[in-house]
Amino acid sequence: MDTTTTAHQVASFLLETEAVKLSPEKPFKWSSGWNSPIYCDNRVTLSFPHIRSFIKQQLAEQIKNNFPEAEAIAGVATAGIAQGALVADLLEMPFLYVRPEPKKHGMGNQIEGKLIPGQKVVLVEDLISTGGSSLKSAEAVRAAGGEVVGMVAIFTYGFALADENFREAGITLHCLSNYSALTEAAVANGYIQESAMEALAEWRKSPETWGN
């Protein structure tokens, strides 16, 4: 399946399962304080076996095609843990996951699982906004002696800031679907009216000030 077809299929699944909700008229408030016409929680797809399997297979294909040197899969906590474990199982590769910060008790681990120094790791994330939290996980893997060869994710908002952050970190990112594919699928499948497209496009240009 080519990347464009995959992007639209995944977008349709996200809308179908209500993992993504679009509401240009009544925006959502993100934890960052941004107003947003979109809310995304890809963990919802885990409750739909055929969709879960499709996403797992497509993430695995992205890894095989783009990072054939990969030796281990790391899920980014928390939303990337389940997806990462599914993908690692399919690829028959070692799995670990990365916490946002070290535990405050016990061994104080930030990385759970066995990371071998020099091991080539692909991180699995469910959603990319600015990329900040995802890249902190990559830094943790590097600090522990792993080699981050890339990252895959289910969905990206496509912010220019995220592209810049990944470039600066020297990490290649491949996502199954994106904001453009999502809005196109939303109009095509009747989730929103075409008249709402302008508001959705304006939001992505300046998400930090939109709706203020």
Side-chain angles (χ1 to χ4, degrees), residues 45-62:
T45 62
L46 294 166
S47 297
F48 299 83
H50 70 289
I51 295 174
R52 181 180 70 211
S53 293
F54 180 84
I55 289 173
K56 171 185 69 176
Q57 290 161 1
Q58 294 305 313
L59 288 170
E61 285 299 313
Q62 287 286 338

Side-chain angles (χ1 to χ4, degrees), residues 32-79:
S32 62
W34 291 2
N35 292 310
S36 172
I38 178 173
Y39 185 79
C40 185
D41 181 4
N42 296 328
R43 287 168 291 198
V44 174
T45 62
L46 294 166
S47 297
F48 299 83
H50 70 289
I51 295 174
R52 181 180 70 211
S53 293
F54 180 84
I55 289 173
K56 171 185 69 176
Q57 290 161 1
Q58 294 305 313
L59 288 170
E61 285 299 313
Q62 287 286 338
I63 293 169
K64 287 191 291 186
N65 293 338
N66 296 296
F67 309 114
E69 70 274 33
E71 298 171 330
I73 304 298
V76 178
T78 59

Side-chain angles (χ1 to χ4, degrees), residues 94-174:
F95 175 71
L96 47 112
Y97 71 85
V98 189
R99 299 175 182 276
E101 58 184 29
K103 284 200 300 186
K104 301 269 193 300
H105 56 278
M107 297 293 292
N109 293 337
Q110 183 169 5
I111 297 174
E112 300 291 359
K114 182 71 172 178
L115 177 64
I116 300 169
Q119 198 168 36
K120 294 177 172 61
V121 179
V122 172
L123 288 106
V124 175
E125 180 65 284
D126 80 323
L127 173 68
I128 303 294
S129 51
T130 64
S133 59
S134 305
L135 291 171
K136 283 181 181 177
S137 294
E139 290 171 10
V141 171
R142 286 172 167 171
E147 180 184 343
V148 177
V149 297
M151 186 179 298
V152 296
I154 297 173
F155 182 79
T156 177
Y157 290 111
F159 295 143
L161 177 59
D163 295 338
E164 182 182 340
N165 287 339
F166 275 89
R167 264 195 311 274
E168 288 182 356
I171 294 174
T172 301
L173 170 69
H174 289 278

